[in-house]
Amino acid sequence: MFRAFRRNIHTITSGGKYTLEFKKYLADAKGRPQSFFHDVPLNYDRAEGTVNMVVEIPRYEQGKFEISKELPLNPIVQDTKKGKPRFINNIYPFHGYPCNYGAVPQTWEAPTLAIDVEGKQYYGDNDPLDICEIGSNVDQAATVGTLKRVKILGCLAMIDDGEMDWKLLAIDTADKLAPHLHDVPDVEEKMPLLLENLTRWFKNYKLPMNKPENEFAFQGRWLGRARALDVIDECHHRWQALVAGSHTGKK
């Protein structure tokens, strides 16, 4: 199903990359615009632990690209800071983003509904779920707007400016390591230090912008696949409520 969907869609780019005018749109085989947020199917298979992913920021990229919730048809644009395109700083020994970073379509971390984590109440960050794809197929480099079928492996509960900002961990189902990775312990065994370094990057990447370190629930531990799948369930249901008009996206 995913392969058929991917064959029948393409992207349309407006404006130059790294400019304020840059927009990347999704379109179907007939050229009709589609939404990265709403029209890419989730295709959630809980038994296999697989979902679809939209790559917003390819590995090693410094430009801060994201799906726009505000613009019609939800193109991918570059975030801005003080009216200029936003880039993240390199943090030694990393260059740009250490993974293929993106969003899970048809999910939503609702800012209107609090969730209880370790006895504290947190609201969502009003975005689709973030996802980190850690595949090793460097010869199949992703680009802005690439669609991937990924296997969920775990999640990290990051607290960003007091909001819950889950980071899902996944690997491309076509990756050579995918058959050997099923949960967090497998990642620790097959890809030693990767989780530790991802946590360190998420903790520190805002420091050069004179912002504080990001915080984490659960002492910064990566939680297992079962918890990550529960997060997807919850955020998909909240997306369904959003498109049905049950939630406005405002506190």
Side-chain angles (χ1 to χ4, degrees):
M1 183 182 299
F2 174 67
R3 290 179 181 177
F5 174 79
R6 190 162 57 182
R7 282 197 303 268
N8 289 313
I9 58 94
H10 62 280
T11 58
I12 300 171
T13 301
S14 171
K17 193 176 181 183
Y18 308 129
T19 71
L20 297 176
E21 292 75 29
F22 174 81
K23 298 178 184 66
K24 178 160 280 193
Y25 292 90
L26 189 69
D28 65 14
K30 296 182 178 180
R32 293 172 297 195
Q34 305 282 295
S35 165
F36 282 107
F37 185 10
H38 301 300
D39 293 325
V40 177
L42 176 62
N43 280 359
Y44 177 42
D45 187 322
R46 175 130 191 163
E48 294 186 357
T50 53
V51 297
N52 293 339
M53 168 189 180
V54 177
V55 177
E56 297 167 302
I57 307 172
R59 193 196 315 262
Y60 309 133
E61 170 70 66
Q62 288 181 263
K64 183 69 171 68
F65 296 97
E66 59 186 16
I67 295 171
S68 171
K69 303 185 306 296
E70 294 76 25
L71 291 176
L73 302 172
N74 310 119
I76 296 175
V77 301
Q78 189 167 356
D79 192 15
T80 60
K81 182 179 181 181
K82 296 181 179 179
K84 297 180 179 180
R86 180 183 167 194
F87 297 86
I88 61 104
N89 300 82
N90 290 326
I91 304 226
Y92 182 83
F94 306 101
H95 180 82
Y97 276 73
C99 59
N100 289 313
Y101 187 80
V104 181
Q106 298 186 349
T107 64
W108 184 50
E109 293 198 72
T112 52
L113 298 172
I115 60 172
D116 184 86
V117 176
E118 297 185 307
K120 295 183 179 180
Q121 298 290 307
Y122 295 100
Y123 289 92
D125 68 352
N126 196 28
D127 284 325
L129 279 169
D130 295 328
I131 186 165
C132 310
E133 193 276 311
I134 58 172
S136 60
N137 286 351
V138 294
D139 58 334
Q140 297 180 1
T143 60
V144 176
T146 295
L147 303 183
K148 285 179 173 283
R149 185 70 176 164
V150 298
K151 179 195 289 188
I152 300 298
L153 304 171
C155 60
L156 180 69
M158 193 173 96
I159 312 300
D160 187 357
D161 290 330
E163 296 177 329
M164 179 55 65
D165 190 8
W166 288 102
K167 307 298 181 185
L168 300 180
L169 184 73
I171 188 165
D172 192 322
T173 57
D175 193 279
K176 62 184 179 182
L177 283 177
H180 308 288
L181 300 181
H182 308 286
D183 212 324
V184 166
D186 301 318
V187 180
E188 293 173 334
E189 177 186 352
K190 302 292 184 181
M191 306 176 80
L193 299 180
L194 184 143
L195 297 183
E196 177 183 334
N197 285 326
L198 268 182
T199 305
R200 183 154 58 99
W201 187 85
F202 278 120
K203 180 179 180 180
N204 297 326
Y205 81 97
K206 290 184 179 180
L207 292 180
M209 296 179 278
N210 295 317
K211 292 188 176 182
E213 296 176 346
N214 281 317
E215 299 178 350
F216 306 92
F218 306 105
Q219 297 79 49
R221 289 184 293 107
W222 285 87
L223 307 180
R225 165 175 157 152
R227 181 58 182 269
L229 296 178
D230 287 343
V231 170
I232 294 171
D233 277 329
E234 178 181 33
C235 290
H236 180 55
H237 292 149
R238 293 187 173 188
W239 171 83
Q240 290 175 318
L242 173 68
V243 296
S246 302
H247 296 306
T248 64
K250 299 177 181 180
K251 291 184 183 178

